[in-house]
Amino acid sequence: MNMRARTRLVSFIFILALIWVTSCAPPTCYSRILEISKEIMNTLDKIHQSNRTKTCAELLPKMFLDVHNSCIRYKLRDFLYVSENLPESCREKPRIRFLKRRVQTLYSIISRACHRDLVFYTDDCESLETGNIHPRYTEDRLQQLIELD
């Protein structure tokens, strides 16, 4: 092995070690919240599509998670209430139990561990049910925009 090949090999090993160390960094509160909210949405999609859980999915409230919406805690709390009061035939299904645990985890992280780390850009509670996250102008904001013209 000549010197040039050795240098390349050492550089390659160094880069791999750097990538490995970088991927071992612990998740931040924000990244953990995003990860769990994506898991919840994926699980909800599976519950709505699966023949075994479609009837249970009809009993669950609609939910579109936006971690930047200040209403997320209320929506998660309401969802937990409904999921705890599902008929026993639904509560015992593995996907429903998994979903409930993930929602409880997200609610706990948002309420206790990371409540100071989150920045809320909107307080549109309706968007968490409809999925329409476009900002709606209130009358005061609309009046300001009209006055600027």
Side-chain angles (χ1 to χ4, degrees):
M1 209 186 239
N2 64 17
M3 189 64 145
R4 190 174 193 180
R6 216 178 269 173
T7 305
R8 285 185 180 171
L9 181 63
V10 169
S11 297
F12 180 72
I13 291 172
F14 177 75
I15 289 172
L16 284 178
L18 187 62
I19 291 171
W20 181 75
V21 168
T22 305
S23 66
C24 292
T28 63
C29 271
Y30 181 72
S31 64
R32 185 75 176 131
I33 288 171
L34 286 177
E35 177 186 326
I36 294 173
S37 65
K38 286 178 187 175
E39 277 182 39
I40 290 170
M41 292 308 296
N42 288 336
T43 305
L44 269 173
D45 286 341
K46 289 177 186 175
I47 287 171
H48 281 280
Q49 293 171 1
S50 173
N51 290 332
R52 293 181 185 164
T53 55
K54 272 186 182 179
T55 56
C56 297
E58 293 171 0
L59 301 172
L60 294 172
K62 293 187 189 241
M63 183 165 65
F64 299 92
L65 294 181
D66 176 12
V67 299
H68 300 108
N69 191 325
S70 64
C71 298
I72 190 168
R73 284 193 337 211
Y74 308 116
K75 186 64 178 173
L76 293 173
R77 185 192 61 210
D78 292 348
F79 190 89
L80 284 172
Y81 177 78
V82 170
S83 66
E84 288 173 0
N85 292 303
L86 287 173
E88 193 168 334
S89 61
C90 291
R91 273 186 298 187
E92 297 304 315
K93 297 198 183 286
R95 280 194 180 150
I96 301 290
R97 285 192 321 223
F98 175 77
L99 176 65
K100 182 181 169 190
R101 281 194 311 268
R102 298 315 291 167
V103 171
Q104 284 174 328
T105 302
L106 182 61
Y107 181 77
S108 177
I109 290 173
I110 288 175
S111 299
R112 295 184 187 127
C114 301
H115 71 277
R116 290 189 179 127
D117 295 344
L118 288 178
V119 175
F120 299 117
Y121 296 120
T122 182
D123 61 352
D124 183 13
C125 296
E126 185 181 325
S127 69
L128 296 177
E129 294 177 13
T130 63
N132 184 8
I133 58 173
H134 300 294
R136 294 179 301 151
Y137 292 120
T138 60
E139 290 180 23
D140 295 337
R141 178 72 177 130
L142 186 58
Q143 184 63 35
Q144 290 174 352
L145 290 172
I146 291 172
E147 289 174 1
L148 290 175
D149 287 338

